[in-house]
């Protein structure tokens, strides 16, 4: 080997054959049997010798299976029944058979001479029932409809009226009655016992003892702490207040109250807080009643934005702001609380002495009494103006304006935007005036019109002791902590004789009977 080359000799490349070949041995019978396919695939090589051999094998196996089949015979079970006919009937008498199958189990005795047919169906010794007082119904009529005699019904109603006025029993009150056995079928049943929740804070139970009805008054402790609910407005004030536990009626009343002061759709912010206080009563037995809305507040930035309280003035209930200003009705407020001293039209001027047009209405009033803007607007004139003296003119938009003359002092400046009811000045006697009063004018498209043709609104104003009581009420309500009305109620001590099972107060409390 040299130069990366390999060389083979002829003997190495082609091996030489041996001189003689040895014959291969013949296969044994075991080898031939192992190579024999007894179960060939009958789906291939159809018609070949191997296929015919497989068919013969299949035929032989099927014939052998059929020839050796032993057959099927029914199994016989012998033995007598556990019970004979007599024993079975005895056992059947103890069985329960549905009525649909005749209910013929058991043994029956034929009627004898001792059996007497009933002339009438026997009555129940007592009847327990519940009656409900309807709207416009009376307590006595309810008892009579329940089967109580008229005389006894009137006596029981009179006895109940001594504990609570019958008019105070609310419609829908449930009355539990037990009627006893009557002396004759033509007579009404007597009342054995009666129980009802006469008022939210009172339960009445009556029972017959010694031929007369004994009444027991059961006072129920009631907590009248108003329910206060506060929370963030968020995406929806209604959904937020409902999630906090406020009743739907209270939320609707709250929205109506604040809707008269602000626009609920555009002025409310998600960060604002609502403050709702409603009348609430909760009894020691767990029942609760939610009444009317008492206070409506709105907090913005940690400071009260609105503070509204319902108050009664001059026999009329209305909502007042925390400042003591009541509801406004109509399109404009009255500019001052004084009476009208001079109307719109031609008159003799009290100073000039001749007849001329009086283009406004004069309101009398004490010197320094406040003058209010009748509606929202912008101050266009605020200063000394001819015979009007100190004069303010407002532009309310839409071609409408108002003027206020003879002021003693002006409280606004030109260009200032004022709100309805805002104080813009004080009554005086400047200019051509014979005494302190307000000269009020209304303009439409630059022309003076009769102010009496404009619809004014009246607004109640609380003053003096009434204003102090009003603000004290607000302080008392806002001092209530949210959720304070949900504290446990201490039960009252029950006095009086202990009556029967119907009036057993201890067991009723244990079983929620009250």
């Amino acid at each position: 080997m040299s130069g990366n080359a390999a060389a083979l000799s002829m003997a190495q490349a082609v091996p030489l054959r041996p001189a003689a070949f040895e014959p291969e041995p013949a296969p044994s019978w075991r080898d031939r049997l192992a190579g024999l396919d007894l179960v060939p695939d009958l789906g291939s090589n159809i018609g070949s010798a191997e296929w015919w051999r497989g068919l013969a094998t299949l035929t032989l196996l099927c014939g052998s299976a059929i020839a050796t089949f032993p057959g099927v015979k029914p199994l016989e079970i012998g033995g007598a029944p556990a019970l004979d006919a007599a024993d079975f009937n005895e056992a059947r008498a103890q069985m329960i058979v549905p009525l649909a199958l005749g209910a013929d189990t058991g043994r029956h005795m034929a009627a004898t001479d001792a059996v007497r047919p009933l002339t009438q169906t026997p009555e129940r010794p007592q009847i327990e029932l519940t009656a409900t007082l309807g709207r416009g119904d009376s307590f006595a009529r309810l008892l009579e409809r329940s089967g109580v005699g008229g005389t006894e019904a009137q006596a029981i109603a009179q006895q109940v009226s001594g504990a609570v006025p019958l008019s105070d029993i609310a419609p829908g009150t449930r009355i539990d009655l037990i009627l006893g056995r009557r002396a004759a079928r033509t007579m009404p049943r007597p009342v054995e016992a009666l129980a009802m929740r006469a008022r939210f804070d009172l339960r009445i139970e009556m029972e017959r003892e010694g031929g007369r009805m004994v009444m027991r008054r059961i006072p129920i402790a009631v907590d009248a702490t108003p329910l206060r609910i506060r929370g963030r407005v968020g995406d929806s004030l209604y959904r937020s207040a409902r999630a906090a536990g406020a009743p739907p009626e209270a939320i609707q009343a709250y929205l109506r109250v604040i809707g008269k002061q602000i626009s609920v759709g555009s002025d409310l912010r998600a960060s604002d807080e609502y403050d709702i206080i409603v009348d609430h009563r909760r009894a020691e037995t767990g029942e609760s009643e939610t009444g009317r809305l008492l206070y409506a507040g709105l907090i913005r930035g940690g400071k009260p934005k609105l503070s509204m309280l319902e108050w009664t003035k001059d026999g009329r209930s209305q909502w007042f702001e925390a400042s003591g200003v009541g509801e406004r009705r109509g399109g404009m407020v009255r500019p001052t609380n004084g009476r009208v001293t001079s109307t719109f039209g031609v008159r003799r001027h009290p100073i000039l002495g001749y007849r001329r047009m009086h283009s406004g209405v004069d309101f009398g009033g004490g010197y320094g009494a406040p003058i209010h803007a009748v509606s929202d607007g912008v101050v266009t004139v605020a200063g000394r103006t001819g015979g009007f003296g100190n004069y303010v003119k407002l532009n309310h938009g839409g071609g409408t304006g108002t003027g206020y003359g003879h002021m003693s002092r002006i409280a606004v400046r030109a260009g200032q935007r004022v709100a309805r009811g805002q104080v813009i000045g004080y009554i005086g006697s400047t200019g051509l005036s014979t005494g302190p009063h307000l000269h009020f004018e209304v303009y439409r498209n630059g022309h003076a019109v009769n102010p009496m043709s404009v619809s004014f609104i009246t607004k109640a104003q609380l003053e003096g002791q009434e204003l102090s009581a009003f603000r004290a009420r607000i302080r008392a309500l806002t001092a209530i902590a949210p959720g304070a009305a949900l504290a446990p109620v201490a039960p009252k001590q029950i006095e009086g004789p202990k009556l029967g099972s119907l009036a057993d107060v201890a067991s009723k409390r244990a079983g929620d009977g009250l």
Side-chain angles (χ1 to χ4, degrees), residues 143-163:
L143 295 178
E144 292 178 9
R145 288 198 309 272
S146 302
V148 182
T151 304
E152 186 178 13
Q154 293 294 336
I156 293 177
Q158 185 176 2
Q159 190 174 359
V160 170
S161 65

Side-chain angles (χ1 to χ4, degrees), residues 236-259:
S236 171
L237 187 150
Y238 185 86
R239 289 197 296 268
S240 176
R242 286 290 294 138
E249 298 80 5
I251 302 174
Q252 295 170 3
Y254 174 82
L255 293 175
R256 285 194 298 267
V257 171
I258 67 172

Side-chain angles (χ1 to χ4, degrees), residues 34-51:
L36 181 62
D37 188 6
L38 298 178
V39 285
D41 185 8
L42 297 182
S44 61
N45 298 327
I46 300 175
S48 63
E50 183 181 5
W51 184 86

Side-chain angles (χ1 to χ4, degrees), residues 370-414:
I371 301 173
H372 305 277
V374 296
S375 185
D376 298 341
V378 178
V379 180
T380 57
V381 177
R384 193 85 179 185
T385 305
F388 291 131
N390 292 331
Y391 178 76
V392 172
K393 186 175 183 179
L394 303 180
N395 181 14
H396 304 289
T400 304
T402 54
Y404 312 80
H406 307 305
M407 293 183 178
S408 61
R409 184 164 61 92
I410 297 175
V412 293
R413 63 182 184 276

Side-chain angles (χ1 to χ4, degrees), residues 431-502:
L432 297 178
S433 172
T434 58
H437 71 284
L438 168 66
H439 175 78
F440 174 68
E441 294 182 347
V442 176
Y443 304 99
R444 285 181 181 170
N445 299 321
H447 300 283
V449 297
N450 186 2
M452 303 304 292
S453 64
V454 179
S455 176
F456 292 96
I457 72 169
T458 59
K459 61 173 184 177
Q461 180 74 40
L462 301 178
E463 298 176 348
Q465 294 182 353
E466 191 173 19
L467 180 60
S468 300
F470 171 80
R471 291 176 175 172
R473 177 61 174 166
I474 291 182
R475 288 193 299 269
L477 288 176
T478 53
I480 299 173
L486 304 180
V489 181
K492 284 187 176 181
Q493 185 67 28
I494 299 176
E495 300 178 354
K498 182 176 180 179
L499 303 181
S501 59
L502 181 66

Side-chain angles (χ1 to χ4, degrees), residues 113-131:
D113 295 339
V115 177
R116 294 284 188 271
L118 295 175
T119 58
Q120 57 186 5
T121 305
E123 289 188 344
R124 296 173 57 184
Q126 286 185 342
I127 295 179
E128 297 183 10
L129 55 91
T130 300

